[in-house]
Amino acid sequence: MSKKALITGITGQDGSYLAEHLLALGYEVHGLVRRVALEDPERRFNRIAHLIESIHLHPASLESYPSIFHVTSRCEFDECYHLAAQSFVAESFSDGFSTMNTNINGTHYILAALRETQPRCRFYFAGSSEMFGKVEESPQNERTRFHPRSPYGISKVAGFELTRNYREAYSMYCVNGILFNHEGPRRGFEFVTRKISSTVARIKLGVTSELRLGNLDARRDWGHASDYVRAMHLMLQQDEPDEYVVATGETHSVRDFCELAFDEVGLDWKEYVRVDEKYYRPAEVDLLMGDARKARERLGWHPRYTFTELVKEMVHADMELLTKATERKDRGRGQEQ
Ligand code: NAP
Ligand code: GDD
């Protein structure tokens, strides 16, 4: 019999890659989605449109324990991947209260509902390298102390501790992934890598003439999301639940990302990138670089993408997307005339 998995945040970047991966492994895949998303599928389901006939969607919100309980009391799952969250760090400075509410209570509600209805279901929590914040050592591993620098980071530390506590207090199989930044063509446009790749395409195709960014010196350990969802799945297949860092072990600056992305379309980044203090954060995470030795040794996980391949794929995907959109617009105009 095929295994059943529940994914919260299935409409997001990681949720869509994970759903694809689990379907390929023969899983029956279920997703929690907000009711507003069900009412606006064309816009809200753009990342999972190609999977819609193969997955089962349930309306629920991270703000409502009854809505989550309703789902877990009616359907049994072998594994639950809790990915849903307000995941944009900058937004967490603008509205820390909503971020805390969604990310902390939402995680607690899922854990509590599983404990109540199906304590044998294995649980994955989407922890983040943002928890390391003002890093106390480099590279960061599972024993590095947390020093979060944003309401988002703080909410993820709370989710991490809740997950560990449910494991220790109730003997549930609860795992914390500590994932470093991972990107790809499905990344949200507000994150710096997609902001760069999409604006490079707009500049190359003559739609805009500049790219305004904040801190170009920030350094991140950037991998590809399709590699990272494989690690999530592997974490739930082990004999014992544990914590794992997932990272490439390389770090690059925002400036490096710009240079490579503009290079890819034959442009010099210095002619187009402008620094705008509006995009600086009240407290910055200057450097992230992960040590994924434990994931390599225990899970047999390795990233397949290099940094250069990641940047190339994102730029080419955005070039193609924009070219197609422009062609569609031109055809539409032609029909109107
Ligand atoms: P994402 O693209 O922003 O997706 C977030 C998902 O959460 C979306 O499906 C969104 O649904 C859902 N969501 C947000 N608020 C919700 C609410 N109140 N109720 C129900 N669903 C809600 O994020 P991602 O990049 O895939 O990341 C997945 C998880 O990994 C997140 O928890 C993130 O914090 C964590 N993480 C990400 C990275 C990374 O580099 N990508 C690294 C470490 C950890 P809608 O589509 O309806 O908005
Ligand atoms: N978004 C954004 N926009 N970031 C900018 C910009 C800009 O215009 N200019 C510079 N940056 C810098 C930010 O200050 C930050 O140091 C870095 O680029 C990366 O920003 P994001 O892409 O927004 O990602 P993040 O590192 O803050 O958070 C992502 O990674 C975390 C894991 O470390 C998110 O995916 C989080 O959900 C995830 O947990």
Side-chain angles (χ1 to χ4, degrees), residues 20-121:
E20 262 170 22
H21 183 57
L22 296 180
L23 284 170
L25 293 173
Y27 276 68
E28 184 177 308
V29 174
H30 294 244
L32 278 195
V33 290
R34 303 193 235 205
R35 190 166 285 287
V36 284
L38 281 168
E39 283 157 8
D40 184 10
E42 219 165 282
R43 206 163 59 85
R44 302 282 198 140
F45 291 167
N46 63 330
R47 295 188 180 101
I48 53 168
H50 60 300
L51 306 173
I52 218 78
E53 299 299 329
S54 322
I55 57 183
H56 308 262
L57 297 178
H58 307 271
S61 159
L62 286 189
E63 281 80 33
S64 155
Y65 178 75
S67 74
I68 295 166
F69 185 85
H70 184 84
V71 177
T72 65
S73 59
R74 277 164 179 74
C75 201
E76 252 188 63
F77 305 104
D78 298 286
E79 297 167 10
C80 171
Y81 297 85
H82 175 41
L83 311 183
Q86 193 303 98
S87 75
F88 188 33
V89 173
E91 167 62 21
S92 81
F93 283 110
S94 309
D95 186 357
F97 292 95
S98 302
T99 302
M100 295 280 185
N101 190 26
T102 301
N103 294 3
I104 303 177
N105 289 342
T107 303
H108 200 180
Y109 293 157
I110 303 265
L111 281 164
L114 288 176
R115 178 182 169 223
E116 195 66 34
T117 57
Q118 38 184 312
R120 290 161 67 88
C121 174

Side-chain angles (χ1 to χ4, degrees), residues 177-205:
I178 309 175
L179 271 53
F180 282 62
N181 298 52
H182 44 279
E183 321 289 318
R186 298 183 196 167
R187 189 55 146 150
F189 288 94
E190 65 274 38
F191 299 95
V192 78
T193 55
R194 187 75 194 277
K195 185 173 172 184
I196 297 170
S197 65
S198 61
T199 313
V200 162
R202 286 160 59 81
I203 291 174
K204 182 68 183 174
L205 297 175

Side-chain angles (χ1 to χ4, degrees), residues 13 85-90 126-131 152 156 179-183 187 189-196 211-222 254 276 279-281 283-286 288:
Q13 171 189 252
Q86 193 303 98
S87 75
F88 188 33
V89 173
S128 162
S129 49
E130 184 73 13
M131 299 187 298
Y152 168 83
K156 285 290 175 177
L179 271 53
F180 282 62
N181 298 52
H182 44 279
E183 321 289 318
R187 189 55 146 150
F189 288 94
E190 65 274 38
F191 299 95
V192 78
T193 55
R194 187 75 194 277
K195 185 173 172 184
I196 297 170
L211 167 58
R212 301 188 85 81
L213 292 173
N215 180 10
L216 300 182
D217 295 318
R219 301 186 73 85
R220 290 289 182 276
D221 181 329
W222 278 300
V254 172
D276 186 336
Y279 296 109
Y280 275 73
R281 293 175 182 178
E284 177 63 289
V285 170
D286 297 317
L288 290 173

Side-chain angles (χ1 to χ4, degrees), residues 238-257:
Q238 306 307 305
D239 290 341
E240 297 298 331
D242 207 338
E243 264 102 50
Y244 297 91
V245 158
V246 179
T248 69
E250 276 181 35
T251 186
H252 299 272
S253 65
V254 172
R255 184 181 286 102
D256 296 338
F257 198 104

